Amino acid sequence: MVGIGVVLGGCSTPAPEVEKTPSVVSEAPSPTSTPTPVPTGPVKPERPADMDRTDEVGAAAAATYFLELYPYVMATGDLEEWDAMTWAETCEFCTTVRDESLVTKQNGYIYSGANLELSSVVVGALDTLIGGYPVTADYVQSPHRSETVAGDVISEDDGSSGQLQIDTISTDEGWKILALVVAG
């Protein structure tokens, strides 16, 4: 970084004389630092670059990202990314989460937890009929809690685990989730 007050030295020619006038010096107030706000709520997950791909790698990235959005959507009511990825005509899970998120936001409920960790993510063969990829994954979901501002519990659980199947399709608008079901 270049500083503003750079002093140049070593000039071999003298500077021309300038008529000197009295100068007025005023002290500028010293800048005060403003603390950077620290996020207090859930942080929106970062969209992976692999979602730009339209192959198996993109399908796995889309499925993983969509599930990472779940606790964020439930806690914030920010549905922009969720809606962009939802194929509402076929994904009952997607529309149910959307509806529950809106109820939570409209009522001022406090939602926390439900973070999902995926493992053993496997992308199945391209379904040539619809042009999508089935993605299966083992999951572990942390406990969640939903409560009123007064602290009355609306819902809570101890978390869960199992296997999911997430049906994905790459479209001109990006990846869509066709369905999400808990497998056997």
Side-chain angles (χ1 to χ4, degrees):
M1 186 169 170
V2 177
I4 295 174
V6 175
V7 178
L8 298 175
C11 295
S12 59
T13 53
E17 288 189 32
V18 178
E19 186 177 329
K20 293 189 178 193
T21 57
S23 60
V24 177
V25 177
S26 65
E27 289 189 30
S30 61
T32 57
S33 64
T34 305
T36 304
V38 177
T40 56
V43 177
K44 184 176 182 179
E46 189 173 322
R47 183 186 182 278
D50 282 345
M51 281 182 58
D52 294 336
R53 297 177 58 161
T54 59
D55 59 3
E56 296 91 347
V57 172
T64 301
Y65 177 63
F66 191 73
L67 289 169
E68 288 173 350
L69 282 172
Y70 174 76
Y72 171 77
V73 164
M74 289 302 298
T76 65
D78 179 356
L79 293 163
E80 183 178 0
E81 290 287 320
W82 189 265
D83 287 348
M85 292 184 71
T86 295
W87 194 287
E89 293 82 5
T90 60
C91 187
E92 183 179 342
F93 170 80
C94 305
T95 56
T96 299
V97 168
R98 181 184 206 291
D99 293 346
E100 289 177 10
S101 172
L102 289 174
V103 167
T104 297
K105 184 176 182 178
Q106 289 167 351
N107 291 308
Y109 298 155
I110 301 163
Y111 188 95
S112 61
N115 296 315
L116 285 150
E117 289 186 34
L118 298 182
S119 61
S120 303
V121 177
V122 177
V123 180
L126 176 68
D127 180 330
T128 56
L129 180 63
I130 63 168
Y133 293 96
V135 179
T136 58
D138 294 333
Y139 76 93
V140 175
Q141 186 174 29
S142 68
H144 97 278
R145 183 179 181 100
S146 181
E147 59 188 302
T148 66
V149 176
D152 297 324
V153 176
I154 297 163
S155 66
E156 65 182 339
D157 67 27
D158 294 328
S160 62
S161 62
Q163 188 175 58
L164 298 171
Q165 179 169 326
I166 308 103
D167 294 329
T168 65
I169 187 169
S170 180
T171 70
D172 291 340
E173 294 85 35
W175 284 97
K176 302 282 185 183
I177 305 302
L178 298 170
L180 188 147
V181 294
V182 176

